[in-house]
Amino acid sequence: MDEPSMPIPPADTTPPQPPSSPPGPPTPPIRLTELLASKDLGLRRIAGPAEAELLWVHTSEMADPYPYLLGGELLLSAGVLLTDPDRYVARLVEAGAAALGFGVRPVHESVPDALVEACDRYGLPLLEVPPATPFTAIARAVWRLMAEARHRELRRVARAQQALSTAAARPDPVPAVLHQLAAQLGGRAVLLTAGGEESRAAGRPLAPATASALARLARVVARERPGSPASATDSHGDTHLAAYALGGGEGLVLALATGRRESGDHTVAGIAVVLLSLLTAPHQGADAAGRSAALVRMLLGASPAEAAPLLGPEGPWTVIHARRTDGAPADALTAGALGASLGSALVDAGRGGGDAVRVLVPGPGGPEEPGSGAVALPAIAPQPGWTLGVSAPTPVTALDAADTLAARALAHAEATRAPLTVDAPARGLAALVPPDQAAAHARTLLAPLTEPLADTLRCWLSLHGNWDRTAVALAVHRNTVRQRVGRCAALLDVNLDDMDVRAELWFALRHG
């Protein structure tokens, strides 16, 4: 037993309520029929409906496990304290349990008839667990099925993303994306104007009552209403409804009606929202086009002084380097979608291949606290499907240096398999040394090193001397890393196993 026994509360006692929307595991639910199909478990449904969705597996021998359930569990029990089957099943149903697995022997020779009748009466699936099947084997089977379901979901979302991106590249992209979205979700996709009028649509037609319910839901997220949410969901009969506000300032809403609701649908819809927001946004004006051109010229080698007038007075700026986690090259469309997610139109998609996408994001500005001297770090969130390297906020006159720092942060993130790394400015004791003195010390100390050797040493130290991760970050063989670091030790005449030496070199490499 995994919890202490406690008496069943009297009928007039108000029990603690489970959360109305319990957090689910990071996997889609599995159907009860999938678990029953596992012949090696020998499970047999003897009462209740055949259909149920399982989110968890929980074992309990409490007389009343209600306070410990979140909802969606397959509850496993041998009935050690089972005294009132009707009350027991009623409490499980009230807590939102998905099914009950009852293990026979050694406590009960068979599943009690009263328990079978109660499960039939309350509509709770009841499984008979044979004596030879441990509860842990059932838990392992459920998590294995969940892992398989998760892999299927990821493959489905990847295929949908590719199909939607291909549709967005067609000559008439908006209808193509809507058609592909409706096909992927098996329903209807509608693009509505800010006034609620249907602009474009694809997929099977809706009944008038369902169409009206979808239009009402779309008005909930219409941007013309202050404080409107970005998305909303509802249902009408057996049809699932969803509405998403599009970016771009046009007040458009994407409305969806589907007959089923699968775990990956929201992700697929989110991809379509980003694409449609980009496709329906008004064309850049002269000022926006000039700002984008300034970014390109700056990244291709123009001086910061040339870029500053076109970028405008706002700032400071954060430079972001990004690369897709699947290794696929980023095109202009996916790079633009990333920029939209980060809140910037200043995007350089690179030249294809393994080149990183570079995004220039304004803000934040100023120190964290007045007089602290500490620069506020950028509030950049990780982006699904991308690995990001982020520079600290910097004035426009130092964007070239920030570009280098963002590239370094991206290499660090890829080496450590982190979704995002920020190359933060000097803080703490390091911030007490005047920058000009720190730079002079760094130049003197690191003078014997060539730039490739200094870059290798910097990366190696940032990864705590890990040869393999440094090799990944620099895209070289680990033996090359060893040779370069050994060469650095020889040229500097230092022992790199000494922590004091490492600390001084790290300070110099950060300020050189």
Side-chain angles (χ1 to χ4, degrees):
M1 298 170 214
D2 55 1
E3 302 115 352
S5 173
M6 64 181 296
I8 299 177
D12 59 349
T13 299
T14 302
Q17 296 297 314
S20 57
S21 299
T27 56
I30 66 166
R31 293 184 173 89
L32 178 61
T33 51
E34 294 182 71
L35 183 63
L36 291 172
S38 300
K39 301 298 184 184
D40 55 326
L41 297 176
L43 303 178
R44 186 168 65 95
R45 183 180 61 86
I46 58 177
E51 293 296 330
E53 290 189 337
L54 311 179
L55 289 174
W56 328 86
V57 178
H58 183 61
T59 301
S60 176
E61 296 301 341
M62 291 191 65
D64 180 23
Y66 177 101
Y68 300 94
L69 300 182
L70 293 173
E73 292 92 350
L74 167 61
L75 180 67
L76 301 175
S77 175
V80 174
L81 298 178
L82 181 65
T83 57
D84 186 348
D86 188 273
R87 172 74 171 165
Y88 183 78
V89 174
R91 295 282 285 169
L92 294 185
V93 172
E94 189 178 358
L100 172 63
F102 195 88
V104 295
R105 299 184 196 154
V107 181
H108 295 269
E109 290 297 316
S110 62
V111 181
D113 293 338
L115 185 63
V116 176
E117 295 170 1
C119 286
D120 272 330
R121 185 162 53 254
Y122 286 100
L124 180 70
L126 174 61
L127 313 182
E128 181 186 67
V129 181
T133 301
F135 286 175
T136 53
I138 299 174
R140 284 199 303 268
V142 169
W143 289 114
R144 175 180 56 80
L145 290 170
M146 284 186 168
E148 293 173 355
R150 178 62 172 167
H151 291 154
R152 289 195 301 270
E153 178 195 26
L154 291 175
R155 287 195 296 269
R156 175 187 171 233
V157 170
R159 289 194 297 268
Q161 181 178 14
Q162 183 177 8
L164 290 169
S165 298
T166 301
R170 292 179 179 173
D172 197 2
V174 172
V177 169
L178 290 174
H179 175 79
Q180 191 57 242
L181 179 61
Q184 294 291 331
L185 300 184
R188 185 167 180 81
V190 184
L191 192 63
L192 299 171
T193 66
E197 300 175 353
E198 186 175 300
S199 173
R200 301 285 182 90
R204 56 182 176 82
L206 302 176
T210 305
S212 298
L214 187 61
R216 287 195 298 272
L217 183 66
R219 286 195 288 273
V220 173
V221 303
R223 290 301 191 190
E224 62 207 24
R225 300 178 54 185
S228 299
S231 64
T233 59
D234 199 359
S235 60
H236 186 267
D238 294 333
T239 303
H240 297 276
L241 310 177
Y244 304 87
L246 301 186
E250 297 297 290
L252 298 176
V253 174
L254 173 64
L256 304 173
T258 58
R260 66 181 190 276
R261 186 68 175 174
E262 297 185 2
S263 54
D265 287 356
H266 184 71
T267 303
V268 174
I271 296 169
V273 167
V274 173
L275 292 174
L276 290 171
S277 296
L278 291 170
L279 295 170
T280 58
H283 293 295
Q284 288 186 337
D287 180 62
R291 288 159 61 93
S292 296
L295 170 66
V296 174
R297 288 212 301 273
M298 178 203 66
L299 294 177
L300 291 181
S303 68
E306 289 183 70
L310 289 172
L311 283 172
E314 63 263 44
W317 296 85
T318 297
V319 179
I320 300 173
H321 281 219
R323 193 171 283 116
R324 290 178 51 165
T325 53
D326 59 6
D331 54 23
L333 187 61
T334 55
L338 173 65
S341 298
L342 294 170
S344 176
L346 300 177
V347 180
D348 174 28
R351 295 178 294 279
D355 285 358
V357 174
R358 291 177 283 188
V359 186
L360 192 59
V361 179
E368 293 176 339
E369 298 179 6
S372 68
V375 178
L377 296 181
I380 304 297
Q383 300 296 312
W386 293 89
T387 300
L388 306 182
V390 183
S391 77
T394 185
V396 68
T397 53
L399 282 177
D400 51 349
D403 189 49
T404 301
L405 296 180
R408 183 187 304 167
L410 176 60
H412 190 280
E414 290 180 319
T416 57
R417 295 183 175 87
L420 180 149
T421 295
V422 178
D423 196 297
R427 308 182 72 163
L429 293 175
L432 300 178
V433 181
D436 55 342
Q437 294 182 22
H441 173 73
R443 284 194 299 270
T444 301
L445 180 62
L446 302 174
L449 302 184
T450 62
E451 186 173 345
L453 289 178
D455 288 341
T456 301
L457 183 59
R458 181 188 298 108
C459 185
W460 182 73
L461 289 173
S462 73
L463 295 170
H464 310 290
N466 188 295
W467 306 105
D468 293 324
R469 288 183 174 179
T470 306
V472 171
L474 297 175
V476 298
H477 194 275
R478 68 194 307 271
N479 288 343
T480 303
V481 176
R482 287 184 177 275
Q483 292 170 1
R484 290 181 182 176
V485 172
R487 182 64 176 158
C488 290
L491 290 172
L492 297 173
D493 192 22
V494 295
N495 177 13
L496 292 178
D497 291 330
D498 188 321
M499 195 60 216
D500 289 337
V501 171
R502 288 194 182 194
E504 184 176 5
L505 288 173
W506 176 246
F507 178 87
L509 289 163
R510 292 279 289 167
H511 295 81

